[in-house]
Amino acid sequence: MPQKDPCQKQACEIQKCLQANRYVESMCEDVIQEMRRCCENLAGNSICCSGFKTSQPPEEKRSHTSLPSSNVRA
């Protein structure tokens, strides 16, 4: 029988929180941070961490500028 993913609980908690908060990530920062902690410790043993290994907190991702609106017609 395959072993349970060590960070699956945290991944499920993120999904529950996002669903309960209409997918507003800022409302789930605490559970997302718990997932990051789990992945820092167990990334090599967790498939759930595949997207968290190199992910950055939302504040760092938002530093990019938006695309120009030259394709938008009035």
Side-chain angles (χ1 to χ4, degrees):
M1 181 191 310
Q3 278 187 309
K4 183 177 176 186
D5 191 300
C7 296
Q8 183 176 1
K9 178 183 176 194
Q10 289 83 359
C12 290
E13 290 299 318
I14 289 173
Q15 290 302 313
K16 283 193 257 183
C17 182
L18 289 172
Q19 288 173 355
N21 291 289
R22 296 183 179 192
Y23 295 89
V24 177
E25 286 185 33
S26 62
M27 299 293 289
C28 301
E29 288 178 8
D30 55 333
V31 292
I32 293 171
Q33 187 59 38
E34 286 298 316
M35 179 72 175
R36 282 197 178 97
R37 278 190 212 115
C38 186
C39 290
E40 285 174 8
N41 295 325
L42 302 166
N45 299 321
S46 174
I47 293 173
C48 293
C49 293
S50 61
F52 274 79
K53 288 182 196 174
T54 59
S55 67
Q56 301 171 350
E59 295 79 27
E60 293 177 28
K61 286 183 180 177
R62 290 185 186 137
S63 65
H64 301 290
T65 57
S66 60
L67 296 174
S69 58
S70 59
N71 293 334
V72 177
R73 296 181 185 198

